[in-house]
Amino acid sequence: MAKTRTIYRCNECGAAHPKWSGQCSSCNEWNTLVEEFEQPRATAASYSGPAARPVPLASVDPSAAKTRPTGITEFDRVLGGGLVAGSVTLLGGEPGIGKSTLTLQLLSALAADGRRGLLVSAEESPQQVQLRALRLGSRHEGLWIVAETALPAILAAVAEVKPELLVVDSIQTVFDPDLQSSPGSVSQVRECAHALVIAAKASGVATVLVGHVTKEGTLAGPRVLEHVVDTVLSFDGDRHHALRLLRASKHRFGATGELGLFEMRDAGLVALEDPTDLLLGDRRPDLAGSCVVPVMEGRRTLLVEVQALVAETKAAMPRRSGQGIDYNRLAVLLAVIERRVGYTLYQKEVFASAMGGVQINEPAGDLGIALAVVSAHNGRPIAADVVACGEVGLGGEIRRVGQMERRLGEAKRLGFARAVVPEATPDIPGLTLLRVKDLRTAIDRLDLRAET
Ligand code: TYD
Ligand code: MG
């Protein structure tokens, strides 16, 4: 029997260290090292498992990796058509975002189509899951459940049910009693995931592993799992809003640029072809401080409302806050407005948000954010039929951004008539372009100057 060895493993990045320390020297996170017992692996010489035979690449049948639609259109869109037999997908997201709901709906959709699915519910009892299933209006013969956390029992259940799709919710609660490290530790999670990957490849069962992402990193972060799975999906959104975004950050069977959109409703997640109503339905264009921005999320364009509020304050340190907008970017834009346009903002509190729980992480949002702030500052609303798109340079100049045609095409499709854009933007038939060289010009063209 090989000897075990004590090591210290980082819960965040999975790096192993011979000694404990307060900070992981690999990822620089604090208080993430936990004690672990490492069992040496079998060496190549002692390996006696079945070996794969080499074949000419040209003789390999590519249809073995064919996707099969799940019936949940936005999920299939992100995966480039659906699930591949024997593939393993990691679905990560913050607690409460809707991972269990999405996976249950996935299993229900398959079952409704006469396809068998198995849910390994490692966190919730079958009764709890049944209540959720009833709420989602799903009652199908082909949906099986087992409330189990031990790996051998899970593998036995898979062998018994022989499902087309296996969902493990969540991978962090699964443990292998043969390993000495404690349940929930990185090595447990990684080894269990590894065993499930091997089982999926051997049996051809498409497998979805649910993983919680916590900011504190108290549970083993799904980052250590990303290497062993075929596909990594993240499920995001603001818990206080209904919009949910599904993205792939790794996908061995296709491209990663697609975005799936859902709305969380009382009866579960609804696939959203068109999120416009959710994003712009509550907009009040008569109010100053609102500007619509076409944002690229992967290959999809979202029209997002940016709101700003500027309020006078006597505080020595006026507050600035950005929701869904990077704080540093907001600070830069305020400085540009101050220096290049000449409005005094240093005695004012400035709040800016991207509505609907969307994050604006690209420079293309600059112009819209800056215009929303100016509009709020001057109390002059931006016309309802206008979108704004462009990067704002430190000189106040408006710079080109990528995929302008797609962005403006979507704005036109949704009924916008005018767009404030960088000077070099090519014509878009049916849309009036207000080409501007700098922020001042944009303010003039939109008639945002305060009346004097
Ligand atoms: P859940 O799928 O349990 O999240 P996760 O598995 O990612 O932790 O969903 C959590 C939230 O979703 C919960 O706060 C309630 C809400 N919800 C709905 O609004 N409608 C529904 O039909 C369901 C099932 C949940
Ligand atoms: Mg859950």
Side-chain angles (χ1 to χ4, degrees), residues 94-101 132 135-136 212 264-268:
E94 285 178 26
I97 207 70
K99 300 179 296 298
S100 300
T101 307
R132 182 184 283 133
R135 185 172 169 187
L136 299 175
H212 295 296
M264 179 61 95
R265 296 211 189 136
D266 285 340

Side-chain angles (χ1 to χ4, degrees), residues 69-414:
T70 61
I72 300 206
T73 49
E74 293 293 296
F75 186 83
D76 292 342
R77 177 206 289 268
V78 175
L79 288 182
L83 286 166
V84 174
S87 67
V88 181
T89 303
L90 176 67
L91 174 67
E94 285 178 26
I97 207 70
K99 300 179 296 298
S100 300
T101 307
L102 179 63
T103 46
L104 188 60
Q105 286 186 243
L106 207 56
L107 289 162
S108 302
L110 250 65
D113 194 27
R115 295 149 70 186
R116 192 177 270 215
L118 173 62
L119 172 62
V120 173
S121 181
E123 287 178 0
E124 292 168 314
S125 69
Q127 288 74 26
Q128 281 171 305
V129 177
Q130 170 71 328
L131 283 177
R132 182 184 283 133
L134 292 175
R135 185 172 169 187
L136 299 175
S138 124
R139 233 195 162 138
H140 301 290
E141 290 290 304
L143 207 173
W144 292 68
I145 181 167
V146 57
E148 194 39 89
T149 53
L151 182 69
I154 292 170
L155 294 175
V158 176
E160 185 188 331
V161 175
K162 297 193 177 59
E164 178 183 329
L165 172 64
L166 166 70
V167 173
V168 179
D169 187 2
S170 70
I171 183 65
Q172 276 117 341
T173 40
V174 175
F175 78 102
D176 182 350
D178 289 340
L179 293 175
Q180 295 187 19
S181 35
S182 54
S185 69
V186 184
S187 60
Q188 277 282 5
V189 172
R190 201 193 42 223
E191 294 303 319
C192 290
H194 198 217
L196 288 165
V197 168
I198 292 172
K201 302 288 166 209
S203 63
V205 176
T207 302
V208 175
L209 307 177
V210 174
H212 295 296
V213 189
T214 57
K215 294 213 172 83
E216 298 76 31
T218 42
L219 276 175
R223 254 185 279 169
V224 302
L225 299 177
E226 291 180 2
H227 308 290
V228 297
V229 299
D230 299 308
T231 302
V232 179
L233 300 179
S234 67
F235 203 36
D236 291 308
D238 184 331
R239 271 218 289 180
H240 305 290
H241 287 94
L243 187 68
R244 297 287 179 275
L245 299 92
L246 184 71
R247 302 183 185 88
S249 58
K250 166 182 176 180
H251 191 31
R252 284 185 183 150
F253 304 106
T256 53
E258 287 294 350
L259 170 75
L261 293 172
F262 296 90
E263 180 180 356
M264 179 61 95
R265 296 211 189 136
D266 285 340
L269 292 157
V270 179
L272 273 187
E273 272 299 309
D274 189 350
T276 313
D277 187 48
L278 212 55
L279 289 173
L280 297 178
D282 296 331
R283 185 172 178 233
R284 290 269 315 273
D286 55 318
L287 295 180
S290 160
C291 187
V292 176
V293 177
V295 176
M296 290 309 295
E297 273 285 355
R299 271 197 279 272
R300 223 160 154 174
T301 312
L302 301 182
L303 276 108
V304 180
E305 178 187 4
V306 174
Q307 282 195 343
L309 188 67
V310 177
E312 215 140 319
T313 176
K314 298 231 155 44
M317 289 275 286
R319 268 184 299 172
R320 271 83 216 272
S321 96
Q323 235 184 61
I325 293 169
D326 180 61
Y327 177 85
N328 292 320
R329 200 63 212 154
L330 181 62
V332 169
L333 291 173
L334 296 183
V336 171
I337 294 172
E338 183 117 29
R339 290 300 306 269
R340 305 295 178 187
V341 186
Y343 295 126
T344 47
L345 294 170
Y346 64 88
Q347 284 166 328
K348 309 229 161 76
E349 298 192 314
V350 180
F351 305 97
S353 349
M355 307 310 288
V358 179
Q359 298 275 333
I360 301 183
N361 295 322
E362 44 165 10
D366 287 357
L367 181 57
I369 298 168
L371 288 173
V373 170
V374 170
S375 162
H377 179 268
N378 292 347
R380 306 269 302 167
I382 295 173
D385 63 347
V386 168
V387 297
C389 186
E391 180 176 356
V392 175
L394 293 183
E397 80 280 14
I398 307 303
R399 311 176 71 99
R400 269 178 275 186
V401 295
Q403 317 209 50
M404 206 51 157
E405 224 167 312
R406 264 174 187 264
R407 299 175 197 264
L408 297 181
E410 181 68 2
K412 192 188 115 190
R413 190 183 75 78
L414 295 177

